[in-house]
Amino acid sequence: MKLIITSVYFILIFFCTDSESNDDKSYVSLDVIEMNVERVNDNLFRWIKFHPDSEFPCLRLEILEAGSNALIKRKNICNVYDEALKVTHDFKKLSFLDTYNLSVESQTLTFELELSLLSQNVVNMNCSIKIENTDFSPLVCHRSESE
């Protein structure tokens, strides 16, 4: 009996000390639809685009240490502020979302967004974010000129 209790105790210790939070785990998501990795400064920059109809319809930005791929900084873009309407659009609450024309030049990621609001209005935005050595600048988005 003592052996059984000791065995159960060690099993519980193993499982309790080995667990990681979901944010710390590295896993492959079937919701990823596009990604890219580029060298920026002395590190790597990775963007990951998730399917807009998934539970996580976001754009994930990561700065990784070159060589080891250790995560330095992560930023999830799951909403965008609309200066014209003075409102933040949550990507989960849109009827349609498209993130496209992602490119990195001069340590800045630029991309375009097409947002279909629940009111059936379509908003097109140009966005940019600067990639620094260990952090990101705030996201800046403006409505496209055609609107």
Side-chain angles (χ1 to χ4, degrees):
M1 182 69 173
K2 188 176 180 181
L3 180 63
I4 293 173
I5 292 172
T6 305
S7 299
V8 170
Y9 175 74
F10 284 119
I11 290 171
L12 285 174
I13 288 175
F14 174 76
F15 283 114
C16 291
T17 58
D18 195 41
S19 66
E20 297 179 51
S21 72
N22 284 338
D23 293 340
D24 295 336
K25 290 185 180 178
S26 296
Y27 61 92
V28 175
S29 171
L30 297 178
D31 294 328
V32 172
I33 58 173
E34 192 176 351
M35 70 175 284
N36 192 27
V37 179
E38 295 186 35
R39 181 175 285 278
V40 175
N41 300 324
D42 293 331
N43 294 313
L44 298 176
F45 167 67
R46 173 170 57 193
W47 57 261
I48 303 167
K49 182 176 154 182
F50 292 86
H51 196 283
D53 292 332
S54 72
E55 290 291 317
F56 188 75
C58 304
L59 178 63
R60 174 172 286 166
L61 311 179
E62 296 177 331
I63 299 172
L64 307 169
E65 186 177 291
S68 70
N69 292 338
L71 181 65
I72 296 172
K73 185 71 174 187
R74 174 180 287 155
K75 181 176 185 73
N76 293 319
I77 300 172
C78 302
N79 58 55
V80 64
Y81 183 72
D82 186 345
E83 184 69 38
L85 296 177
K86 306 287 189 222
V87 68
T88 299
H89 301 297
D90 182 342
F91 292 175
K92 285 185 177 183
K93 296 179 180 176
L94 298 171
S95 57
F96 177 79
L97 166 70
D98 191 15
T99 307
Y100 57 98
N101 290 339
L102 292 101
S103 67
V104 177
E105 289 183 32
S106 302
Q107 301 170 328
T108 302
L109 171 70
T110 59
F111 58 94
E112 296 178 50
L113 290 173
E114 181 179 330
L115 314 171
S116 292
L117 309 180
L118 295 177
S119 63
Q120 302 302 321
N121 293 339
V122 175
V123 174
N124 292 300
M125 302 183 93
N126 296 319
C127 300
S128 65
I129 188 167
K130 187 159 177 55
I131 307 156
E132 299 166 359
N133 282 331
T134 59
D135 206 352
F136 299 101
S137 69
L139 177 67
V140 177
C141 293
H142 300 286
R143 285 186 177 225
S144 300
E145 293 295 321
S146 62
E147 293 182 68

